[in-house]
């Protein structure tokens, strides 16, 4: 794609791209390069010198039980967040799509959580499930269930999953609703005339036609769960108990800033970089296909 | 025929019921936070806390806004506002300029520049967090607005958005401008910028929320409580030891933290949805 008509000049366009070029070079390429560079060294404890270890940091990480456990944690966490938030959003979108009037009111209300920062969502859910003062903890206690996400890793995981998924429902709802509204009414009505009930119509017509939206949301939600849920985990569990909720991004932070293990943290950054790259390519491949529709 | 699929009667009410149950799930945490921000500490630490608002609203919000725990929340909100506006304006300005250059000029290095910024799409700040921190520290930008803002505008999503939009602008407009002897920047100001108004506004909504809701980055670089942003400041309000947190003030702060982005999303709903769809294309 090129414009037929362009302006003349060399200095002006260079001047125009300069601000972005400088900011990107200083705050993006240089740090990203540093991450790759540092991942090949181990700094001494005083930070005075660096020892070249080649791929040693990577070998160490891949052989490290905690790091491998963090991979598994991340996989479970992101799949759970994606499934829960997309499931709830699809359910609400299908219902809102059935309304001729009033779906706008529900939409206005349902987009609220998008505006709530993940870290704030974390605090809200922490408050409800707090072991001392939490309302839900208290009522669960009345029912005879002793909730304690501070000690129980599975409960901690459940809580960070629900808090992360909660904040994401709005986003998925908007895309699902748009996808549903793009399906021609005539197709659905034809099936209805043929006697197909709601569930049959959903399974055989709506769901297949919605699949491009669903696939797009799958990728976007996994990226969200990987990178944007740091605030939820940091406020609710701090990665605990016993690293039960330490996802990969959290580990980059805790190894790099809390334990000051810069070589390992940098190597983890590089591994994450490869994962994001793969996800981005997947997303672009998909978008290319969508354009051909 | 229109009435064929949507039902009246039982099905209709079931639809509303289902949506209302969903809304309850969505709003219960927010409602509870609001209630907690209007009652006193003793009412919370002796569970179960009430489910209806109490009479401490003004007391709690006054305390949060003007004294806070580490820093007054009003100050933290100001910091968040500067950061969010800085990110939104900064990113829009540099992206408009570079998209204009890429689309309307043929200059040496154009393709290289295009691919360089394309690469930035792939790497969220969380991934390069440690080296970026070192860069900002070396520049002496810890605890500063520029340190909060600049690293977060170093990405190309907005540039791509404007590039896509500029490609759809009819060539005749640039042609006419050139024939009339208009300088490139005149064309940019008088024609391209007014045409991009809606795109700019839609992107502004998305970027404002993105900036306001940042957590990890301000957590790392604002060690001075007077530079804290509200979203990261909430976590700092929890006591480190075994003490009980001051829940009414913390919850009042949580409510205050969500008000500006909620207002932006709700009042600019159409632009927001458009921005969301645009920025994912």
């Amino acid at each position: 794609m090129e414009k037929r008509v362009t302006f003349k000049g060399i200095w002006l366009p260079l001047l125009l791209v300069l601000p972005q070029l400088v900011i990107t070079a200083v705050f993006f390429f240089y740090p990203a390069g540093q991450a790759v560079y540092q991942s090949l060294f181990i700094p001494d404890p005083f930070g005075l010198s660096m020892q070249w270890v080649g791929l040693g940091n990577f070998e160490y990480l891949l052989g490290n039980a905690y790091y491998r456990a963090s991979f598994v944690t991340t996989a479970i966490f992101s799949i759970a967040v994606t499934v829960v938030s997309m499931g709830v959003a699809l359910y609400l979108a299908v219902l809102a799509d059935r309304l001729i009037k009033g779906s706008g009111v529900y939409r206005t209300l349902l987009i609220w959580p998008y505006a709530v920062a993940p870290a704030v969502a974390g605090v809200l859910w922490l408050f409800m499930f707090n072991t001392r003062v939490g309302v839900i903890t208290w009522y669960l206690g009345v029912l005879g269930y002793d909730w304690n996400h501070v000690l129980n890793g599975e409960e901690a995981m459940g809580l960070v999953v629900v808090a992360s998924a909660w904040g994401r429902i709005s986003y998925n709802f908007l895309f699902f609703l748009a996808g549903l509204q793009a399906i021609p009414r005539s197709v659905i009505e034809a099936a209805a005339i043929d006697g197909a009930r709601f569930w049959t119509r959903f399974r055989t017509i709506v769901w297949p036609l919605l699949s491009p939206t669903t696939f797009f949301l799958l990728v976007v939600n996994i990226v969200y769960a990987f990178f944007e849920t740091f605030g939820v985990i940091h406020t609710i569990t701090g990665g605990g108990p016993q690293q039960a909720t330490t996802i990969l991004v959290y580990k980059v932070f805790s190894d790099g800033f809390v334990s000051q293990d810069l070589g390992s943290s940098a190597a983890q950054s590089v591994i994450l970089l490869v994962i994001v790259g793969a996800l981005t390519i997947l997303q672009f491949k998909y978008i290319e296909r969508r354009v051909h529709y | 025929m229109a009435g064929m699929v949507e039902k009246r009667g039982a099905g209709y009410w079931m639809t509303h019921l289902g949506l209302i149950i969903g809304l309850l799930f969505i709003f219960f945490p927010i409602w509870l936070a609001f209630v907690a921000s209007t009652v006193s500490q003793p009412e919370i630490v002796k569970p179960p806390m009430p489910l209806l608002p109490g009479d401490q609203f003004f007391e709690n919000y006054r305390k949060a806004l003007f004294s806070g725990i580490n820093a007054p929340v009003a100050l933290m909100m100001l910091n968040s506002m500067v950061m969010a506006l800085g990110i939104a304006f900064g990113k829009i300005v540099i992206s408009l300029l570079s998209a204009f250059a890429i689309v309307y000029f043929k200059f040496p290095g154009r393709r290289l520049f295009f691919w360089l910024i394309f690469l930035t799409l792939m790497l969220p700040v969380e991934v390069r967090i440690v080296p970026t921190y070192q860069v900002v520290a070396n520049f002496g930008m810890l605890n500063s607005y520029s340190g909060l803002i600049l690293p977060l505008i170093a990405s190309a999503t907005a540039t791509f958005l404007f590039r896509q939009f500029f490609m759809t602008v009819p060539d005749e407009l640039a042609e006419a401008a050139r024939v009339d002897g208009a300088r490139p920047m005149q064309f940019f100001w008088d024609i391209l910028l007014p045409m991009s108004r809606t795109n700019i506004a839609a992107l502004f909504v998305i970027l404002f929320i993105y900036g306001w809701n940042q957590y990890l980055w301000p957590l790392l670089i604002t060690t001075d409580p007077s530079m804290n942003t509200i979203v990261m400041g909430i976590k700092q309000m929890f006591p480190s030891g075994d003490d009980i947190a001051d829940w009414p003030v913390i919850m009042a702060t949580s409510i205050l933290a969500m008000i500006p982005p909620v207002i932006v999303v709700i009042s600019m709903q159409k632009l927001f949805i458009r921005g969301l769809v645009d920025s994912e294309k």
Side-chain angles (χ1 to χ4, degrees), chain A residues 2-3 6 20 132 273, chain B residues 98 110 123 127 169 178 244:
Chain A
E2 301 253 316
K3 278 272 180 199
T6 51
Q20 179 152 40
R132 273 201 226 172
L273 176 87
Chain B
S98 57
R110 190 177 71 128
L123 203 58
V127 176
V169 172
R178 235 177 34 176
I244 289 195

Side-chain angles (χ1 to χ4, degrees), chain B residues 139-193:
Chain B
F139 279 132
M141 296 201 305
L142 298 180
N143 292 311
S144 76
Y145 288 129
S146 52
L148 279 172
I149 294 168
L150 290 178
L152 295 178
I153 60 178
S155 116
T157 35
T159 313
F160 269 80
L161 216 69
F162 288 127
R163 175 186 174 269
Q164 302 300 77
F165 174 67
F166 290 166
M167 295 306 290
T168 68
V169 172
D171 276 353
E172 287 72 17
L173 290 172
E175 187 101 69
R178 235 177 34 176
V179 171
D180 288 349
R183 290 165 176 281
M185 288 319 282
Q186 252 173 325
F187 170 72
F188 178 75
W189 273 112
D190 297 341
I191 298 172
L192 217 45
L193 212 52

